[in-house]
């Protein structure tokens, strides 16, 4: 199994910044894509940003130029630097990890599976 622990959320004023971190641990064999999603009350969960193991990034149009995703493969950790935050970006932010896991000492899962963190609350308000 994979456990994802997010940190860095909190209350920030409009225009402020936060840096989210997510560390993956457990019986990980390999990680493909890691990403950040967010979900506001009454809304669908949406992709904010993702990054491949090779460092290729993808961003939602609404955050381009303001957010930056990065990862440390050695630490199985992904980060999201969020700048110029807007009130409408208040949401629970979830870390996602697409990974293959060790199912025993001699077996590895046959496919990549999505794992999710518990989420961290980001509130942008004055």
């Amino acid at each position: 199994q994979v456990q994802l622990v997010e940190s860095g959320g909190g209350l920030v004023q409009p225009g402020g910044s936060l840096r989210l971190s997510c560390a993956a641990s457990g019986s990980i064999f390999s990680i493909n894509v890691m990403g950040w999603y967010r979900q506001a009350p009454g809304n669908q969960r949406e992709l904010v940003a993702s990054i491949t193991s090779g460092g290729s990034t993808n961003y939602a149009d609404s955050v381009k130029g303001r957010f930056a995703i990065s990862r440390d493969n050695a630490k199985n950790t992904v980060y999201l630097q969020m700048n110029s935050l807007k009130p409408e970006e208040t949401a629970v932010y979830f870390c996602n990890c697409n990974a293959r896991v060790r199912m025993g000492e001699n077996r590895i899962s046959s496919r990549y599976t999505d794992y999710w963190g518990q989420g961290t609350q980001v509130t942008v308000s004055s």
Side-chain angles (χ1 to χ4, degrees):
Q1 291 291 325
V2 176
Q3 295 82 47
L4 301 176
V5 180
E6 302 109 329
S7 62
L11 174 65
V12 65
Q13 294 190 107
S17 298
L18 286 173
R19 187 174 190 248
L20 306 182
S21 299
C22 173
S25 62
S27 302
I28 300 168
F29 174 71
S30 64
I31 299 175
N32 183 15
V33 180
M34 301 185 79
W36 290 94
Y37 293 71
R38 65 190 177 194
Q39 187 169 22
N43 294 118
Q44 300 272 21
R45 186 173 299 186
E46 64 175 352
L47 174 68
V48 177
S50 64
I51 183 168
T52 70
S53 60
S56 297
T57 58
N58 182 48
Y59 296 94
D61 288 341
S62 62
V63 308
K64 288 180 179 177
R66 296 187 298 115
F67 290 11
I69 190 169
S70 60
R71 66 190 282 175
D72 185 336
N73 289 334
K75 297 181 178 179
N76 288 331
T77 299
V78 63
Y79 308 91
L80 184 67
Q81 178 66 45
M82 304 185 293
N83 299 322
S84 302
L85 282 160
K86 305 173 181 179
E88 58 264 38
E89 292 174 318
T90 293
V92 177
Y93 284 68
F94 296 91
C95 178
N96 173 266
C97 172
N98 190 242
R100 295 179 68 185
V101 300
R102 299 184 185 277
M103 303 177 71
E105 293 187 358
N106 299 309
R107 291 202 77 251
I108 300 168
S109 61
S110 60
R111 63 182 183 273
Y112 285 88
T113 301
D114 283 327
Y115 296 90
W116 296 90
Q118 292 297 120
T120 184
Q121 178 70 46
V122 171
T123 302
V124 185
S125 176
S126 59

